[in-house]
Amino acid sequence: MKKYRIMFVCLGNICRSPLAHGIFEKLLKDANLDGVVDVESSGTSGFHRGEKPDPRMTGVAASHGVPLDHLRSQQFKKEDLENFDLILPMDRENQEHIKKMMTSKDQKEKVKLFRDYDPEGKGLEVPDPYYGGPSGFEKVYNIAERTCRSLLGDVKPLVV
Ligand code: 4NP
């Protein structure tokens, strides 16, 4: 059976989207769903292509038992709009960037803001922690973890 494919997207693919990628990957493994759901992440920019996630993000994720060190930054491509079932940008700027690459209504329906799944902040953006202090990374972790848990609850009935 074809796997259900989810893509998380931010600007650099070194902070927010690799975090969501790592958390969701772990949740899938723990739920024995890694065989039926595929997860990826990317950035709308190619600034950090090939790089590991930001060590500040990797450190916070590791403190919560989530490994990110195996991930490498890649740029979001037009074909991803065809190849993924659900595309979740972290903020509206990146959502707009993706929208400009769309060629069909089908693709439009696949793209939703990540925090549309946040039970405590539906429709809000994930703040960019890159230029801020350490508390920003912890805050982003908390948002991403509860949003990924809720996302898994929504995706599960589609794949089991
Ligand atoms: P991300 O964070 O989009 O969550 O990966 C950023 C990473 C790098 C830059 C900005 C945001 N940057 O300007 O290089």
Side-chain angles (χ1 to χ4, degrees), residues 8-23 41-45 47-49 51-62 66-69 71-74 90-91 94 114 126-134 136-145 148:
F8 299 109
V9 189
C10 61
L11 178 64
N13 192 213
I14 55 167
C15 298
R16 293 165 291 173
S17 64
L19 175 68
H21 185 162
I23 292 172
S41 62
S42 60
T44 54
S45 84
F47 299 154
H48 297 277
R49 199 183 276 119
E51 292 178 20
K52 288 184 179 189
D54 187 301
R56 296 169 293 176
M57 194 76 264
T58 306
V60 167
V66 175
L68 300 184
D69 225 38
L71 305 176
R72 296 292 179 276
S73 175
Q74 58 175 343
M90 298 289 138
D91 60 33
N94 288 299
F114 176 66
V126 181
D128 183 352
Y130 190 69
Y131 292 106
F137 287 87
E138 195 62 45
K139 184 177 171 194
V140 165
Y141 182 86
N142 291 326
I143 293 170
E145 193 196 293
C148 280

Side-chain angles (χ1 to χ4, degrees), residues 80-128:
D80 294 329
L81 281 159
E82 282 303 312
N83 296 334
F84 286 83
D85 299 291
L86 188 59
I87 297 168
L88 299 173
M90 298 289 138
D91 60 33
R92 290 203 162 75
E93 194 178 326
N94 288 299
Q95 186 177 29
E96 284 308 312
H97 191 114
I98 295 168
K99 274 187 183 169
K100 289 197 180 103
M101 299 164 99
M102 287 175 185
T103 53
S104 73
K105 188 164 169 273
D106 228 33
Q107 294 177 349
K108 198 173 164 185
E109 281 156 14
K110 294 178 181 184
V111 183
K112 297 189 173 97
L113 212 51
F114 176 66
R115 288 188 75 183
D116 282 348
Y117 294 90
D118 182 353
E120 295 177 32
K122 189 170 155 50
L124 296 180
E125 302 180 305
V126 181
D128 183 352

